Amino acid sequence: MSGTARESIWTRPDRRSRGPVPQHSRAEIVAAATALADAGGLPAVSMRAVAAALDTGAGSLYRYLSSRDDLLDLMVDAALSELPVDRPPSGDWLDRLVGLARDQLALYRRHPWLSEATRRPGAFGPRTVDYFERCLAIMAPLPNAPGAKMEAVAVLTGVVALFSVPAPMNPPPDDPQAMARKQAGQLFALVDPARHPHLAAAFTTPQDNADAGPDLFERTIRGVLRGLLIKPA
């Protein structure tokens, strides 16, 4: 594996200056690749498959891109452009980050391949930079160092990605409470009170849900962000 960093596609022209005039734009190529990924996941996205969807030859795509990695970088950045940016601010910094996390979760569910694509090494695009800036702007009132805030953004994205992947035989992913009950029931079926007294007590002790929050996703997001960004008194 080479130790040389790959040049970002955003530092290069949209197409090569030499050769035949290209028939498609980067945006058209990304739209075709995204449709393939939405239908069949990232394995469905190859230069040949994208070219076929555009009714052209695979070689012609290299007038716009140097590699499939370039294409995936563009796809991720284009997907992030779907995050709503014109929503009026509401609540404190934590409420606003929870709202952003919900928007991101909806995005990941519209594009199930996005979670996998963001785990690979890639170049940051302009929409990704905008997303970081938005998160840091929301956290501006907090005294934490910029590095701690960036760490919180990374963890937030990881939690969203985790919730975006539905497990087989689970309830619909838009019902986190039902999913949690289903998983708890599966776990409880394996609990032996003699071997697992603490788990047995956790399942049989009445729970006080007064401060539980609206759902598992929001409770998790709020708990993680509080733990990372709010220092104990």
Side-chain angles (χ1 to χ4, degrees), residues 8-9 23 29 35 52 75 78 87 90 103 117 123 131-132 134 164 169 176 178 194 203 205 226 228 232:
S8 168
I9 189 170
Q23 298 176 333
I29 295 171
M75 289 169 62
R87 181 170 297 161
S90 177
D103 291 337
Y131 170 76
F132 286 139
R134 186 178 174 193
S164 72
M169 304 303 292
F203 280 116
T205 301
R226 285 194 186 102
L228 288 172

Tab-separated table of all heavy atoms in Angstrom, residues 8-9 23 29 35 52 75 78 87 90 103 117 123 131-132 134 164 169 176 178 194 203 205 226 228 232:
chain	number	residue	atom	x	y	z
A	8	SER	N	-7.157	14.919	-3.846
A	8	SER	CA	-8.597	15.111	-3.817
A	8	SER	C	-9.118	15.456	-5.197
A	8	SER	O	-8.515	16.244	-5.933
A	8	SER	CB	-8.964	16.230	-2.835
A	8	SER	OG	-10.315	16.615	-3.006
A	9	ILE	N	-10.255	14.903	-5.551
A	9	ILE	CA	-10.843	15.190	-6.856
A	9	ILE	C	-11.278	16.642	-6.961
A	9	ILE	O	-11.366	17.212	-8.042
A	9	ILE	CB	-12.009	14.232	-7.159
A	9	ILE	CG1	-12.456	14.394	-8.611
A	9	ILE	CG2	-13.168	14.453	-6.186
A	9	ILE	CD1	-13.416	13.339	-9.081
A	23	GLN	N	-19.337	13.660	-22.838
A	23	GLN	CA	-20.774	13.725	-23.077
A	23	GLN	C	-21.569	13.905	-21.796
A	23	GLN	O	-22.765	14.195	-21.849
A	23	GLN	CB	-21.232	12.448	-23.789
A	23	GLN	CG	-20.592	12.258	-25.155
A	23	GLN	CD	-20.989	10.927	-25.784
A	23	GLN	OE1	-21.294	9.962	-25.080
A	23	GLN	NE2	-20.994	10.889	-27.101
A	29	ILE	N	-22.811	11.546	-13.710
A	29	ILE	CA	-22.137	10.293	-13.353
A	29	ILE	C	-22.456	9.917	-11.916
A	29	ILE	O	-22.776	8.752	-11.616
A	29	ILE	CB	-20.613	10.444	-13.549
A	29	ILE	CG1	-20.288	10.648	-15.034
A	29	ILE	CG2	-19.871	9.230	-12.999
A	29	ILE	CD1	-18.847	11.023	-15.297
A	35	ALA	N	-27.844	5.856	-7.969
A	35	ALA	CA	-29.003	4.996	-8.250
A	35	ALA	C	-28.607	3.526	-8.184
A	35	ALA	O	-29.353	2.694	-7.644
A	35	ALA	CB	-29.590	5.342	-9.618
A	52	ALA	N	-22.391	1.810	-18.286
A	52	ALA	CA	-23.525	1.173	-18.960
A	52	ALA	C	-24.821	1.917	-18.670
A	52	ALA	O	-25.676	2.079	-19.553
A	52	ALA	CB	-23.634	-0.279	-18.508
A	75	MET	N	-19.856	10.688	-4.553
A	75	MET	CA	-21.160	10.183	-4.125
A	75	MET	C	-21.464	10.570	-2.682
A	75	MET	O	-22.577	11.000	-2.355
A	75	MET	CB	-21.217	8.669	-4.291
A	75	MET	CG	-21.266	8.189	-5.730
A	75	MET	SD	-20.994	6.393	-5.857
A	75	MET	CE	-22.406	5.763	-4.907
A	78	ALA	N	-22.159	14.303	-2.508
A	78	ALA	CA	-23.462	14.634	-3.089
A	78	ALA	C	-24.594	14.235	-2.156
A	78	ALA	O	-25.595	14.948	-2.026
A	78	ALA	CB	-23.612	13.945	-4.445
A	87	ARG	N	-33.348	24.872	8.144
A	87	ARG	CA	-34.250	24.710	9.280
A	87	ARG	C	-33.925	25.775	10.338
A	87	ARG	O	-32.766	25.933	10.726
A	87	ARG	CB	-34.100	23.309	9.862
A	87	ARG	CG	-35.009	23.024	11.038
A	87	ARG	CD	-34.973	21.552	11.377
A	87	ARG	NE	-35.479	20.763	10.265
A	87	ARG	CZ	-35.252	19.462	10.106
A	87	ARG	NH1	-34.487	18.821	10.977
A	87	ARG	NH2	-35.762	18.813	9.084
A	90	SER	N	-33.673	25.817	16.784
A	90	SER	CA	-34.677	25.568	17.820
A	90	SER	C	-34.024	24.847	18.987
A	90	SER	O	-33.349	23.830	18.799
A	90	SER	CB	-35.826	24.729	17.246
A	90	SER	OG	-36.782	24.419	18.243
A	103	ASP	N	-31.768	14.150	11.013
A	103	ASP	CA	-31.662	14.378	9.572
A	103	ASP	C	-30.639	13.435	8.950
A	103	ASP	O	-30.852	12.882	7.863
A	103	ASP	CB	-31.247	15.831	9.303
A	103	ASP	CG	-32.330	16.834	9.662
A	103	ASP	OD1	-33.516	16.448	9.709
A	103	ASP	OD2	-31.989	18.013	9.909
A	117	ALA	N	-19.649	3.604	2.813
A	117	ALA	CA	-18.805	4.500	2.025
A	117	ALA	C	-18.041	5.480	2.903
A	117	ALA	O	-16.900	5.842	2.588
A	117	ALA	CB	-19.659	5.268	1.018
A	123	ALA	N	-11.394	11.379	0.507
A	123	ALA	CA	-11.118	12.811	0.554
A	123	ALA	C	-12.381	13.560	0.973
A	123	ALA	O	-13.478	13.222	0.543
A	123	ALA	CB	-10.638	13.294	-0.814
A	131	TYR	N	-20.708	20.420	6.565
A	131	TYR	CA	-21.318	19.686	7.670
A	131	TYR	C	-20.520	19.882	8.960
A	131	TYR	O	-21.085	20.147	10.029
A	131	TYR	CB	-21.402	18.203	7.318
A	131	TYR	CG	-21.784	17.316	8.475
A	131	TYR	CD1	-23.100	17.260	8.931
A	131	TYR	CD2	-20.830	16.530	9.121
A	131	TYR	CE1	-23.457	16.457	10.000
A	131	TYR	CE2	-21.177	15.722	10.191
A	131	TYR	CZ	-22.490	15.684	10.619
A	131	TYR	OH	-22.832	14.888	11.690
A	132	PHE	N	-19.188	19.782	8.871
A	132	PHE	CA	-18.344	20.008	10.050
A	132	PHE	C	-18.529	21.431	10.578
A	132	PHE	O	-18.625	21.657	11.783
A	132	PHE	CB	-16.873	19.766	9.712
A	132	PHE	CG	-16.507	18.316	9.552
A	132	PHE	CD1	-15.648	17.913	8.540
A	132	PHE	CD2	-17.005	17.358	10.412
A	132	PHE	CE1	-15.299	16.579	8.390
A	132	PHE	CE2	-16.659	16.020	10.279
A	132	PHE	CZ	-15.814	15.630	9.258
A	134	ARG	N	-21.085	23.339	10.267
A	134	ARG	CA	-22.403	23.473	10.891
A	134	ARG	C	-22.398	22.906	12.298
A	134	ARG	O	-22.939	23.504	13.230
A	134	ARG	CB	-23.440	22.765	10.022
A	134	ARG	CG	-24.873	22.940	10.483
A	134	ARG	CD	-25.792	22.247	9.515
A	134	ARG	NE	-27.173	22.247	9.971
A	134	ARG	CZ	-28.121	21.488	9.436
A	134	ARG	NH1	-27.841	20.701	8.413
A	134	ARG	NH2	-29.361	21.522	9.898
A	164	SER	N	-28.556	3.230	11.670
A	164	SER	CA	-29.095	3.212	10.309
A	164	SER	C	-29.153	1.820	9.712
A	164	SER	O	-29.820	1.616	8.699
A	164	SER	CB	-28.254	4.108	9.400
A	164	SER	OG	-26.985	3.525	9.125
A	169	MET	N	-34.943	-9.424	10.747
A	169	MET	CA	-36.090	-9.850	11.547
A	169	MET	C	-36.452	-8.838	12.621
A	169	MET	O	-37.238	-9.135	13.512
A	169	MET	CB	-35.838	-11.225	12.203
A	169	MET	CG	-35.483	-12.329	11.215
A	169	MET	SD	-36.754	-12.528	9.951
A	169	MET	CE	-38.110	-13.156	10.945
A	176	PRO	N	-37.634	2.855	16.747
A	176	PRO	CA	-36.533	2.416	17.604
A	176	PRO	C	-36.997	1.765	18.899
A	176	PRO	O	-36.353	0.844	19.398
A	176	PRO	CB	-35.760	3.710	17.883
A	176	PRO	CG	-36.143	4.633	16.788
A	176	PRO	CD	-37.562	4.283	16.449
A	178	ALA	N	-39.720	-0.081	19.405
A	178	ALA	CA	-40.108	-1.458	19.115
A	178	ALA	C	-38.886	-2.325	18.845
A	178	ALA	O	-38.831	-3.488	19.252
A	178	ALA	CB	-41.061	-1.488	17.914
A	194	ALA	N	-29.592	-17.950	37.522
A	194	ALA	CA	-28.496	-18.438	38.356
A	194	ALA	C	-27.138	-17.967	37.837
A	194	ALA	O	-26.233	-17.647	38.608
A	194	ALA	CB	-28.525	-19.960	38.419
A	203	PHE	N	-33.913	-6.994	33.968
A	203	PHE	CA	-35.121	-7.235	33.197
A	203	PHE	C	-36.379	-7.268	34.069
A	203	PHE	O	-37.475	-7.002	33.584
A	203	PHE	CB	-35.013	-8.555	32.424
A	203	PHE	CG	-34.211	-8.432	31.147
A	203	PHE	CD1	-33.022	-9.123	30.999
A	203	PHE	CD2	-34.645	-7.635	30.108
A	203	PHE	CE1	-32.282	-9.024	29.828
A	203	PHE	CE2	-33.920	-7.520	28.936
A	203	PHE	CZ	-32.742	-8.222	28.800
A	205	THR	N	-36.745	-5.701	37.217
A	205	THR	CA	-36.968	-4.526	38.070
A	205	THR	C	-37.772	-3.489	37.298
A	205	THR	O	-37.422	-3.160	36.162
A	205	THR	CB	-35.629	-3.905	38.499
A	205	THR	OG1	-34.869	-4.886	39.196
A	205	THR	CG2	-35.858	-2.692	39.391
A	226	ARG	N	-23.599	14.428	25.857
A	226	ARG	CA	-23.382	14.964	27.211
A	226	ARG	C	-22.080	14.425	27.797
A	226	ARG	O	-21.300	15.145	28.417
A	226	ARG	CB	-24.557	14.581	28.104
A	226	ARG	CG	-25.834	15.370	27.880
A	226	ARG	CD	-26.807	15.154	29.023
A	226	ARG	NE	-28.090	15.780	28.803
A	226	ARG	CZ	-29.187	15.135	28.426
A	226	ARG	NH1	-29.145	13.819	28.234
A	226	ARG	NH2	-30.320	15.783	28.241
A	228	LEU	N	-19.418	13.432	26.280
A	228	LEU	CA	-18.227	13.931	25.609
A	228	LEU	C	-17.995	15.420	25.835
A	228	LEU	O	-16.838	15.873	25.876
A	228	LEU	CB	-18.347	13.673	24.090
A	228	LEU	CG	-18.204	12.229	23.627
A	228	LEU	CD1	-18.538	12.133	22.139
A	228	LEU	CD2	-16.803	11.701	23.875
A	232	PRO	N	-18.108	17.122	34.276
A	232	PRO	CA	-18.765	16.996	35.591
A	232	PRO	C	-18.485	18.212	36.461
A	232	PRO	O	-17.403	18.801	36.415
A	232	PRO	CB	-18.138	15.733	36.195
A	232	PRO	CG	-17.567	14.988	35.023
A	232	PRO	CD	-17.173	16.028	34.012
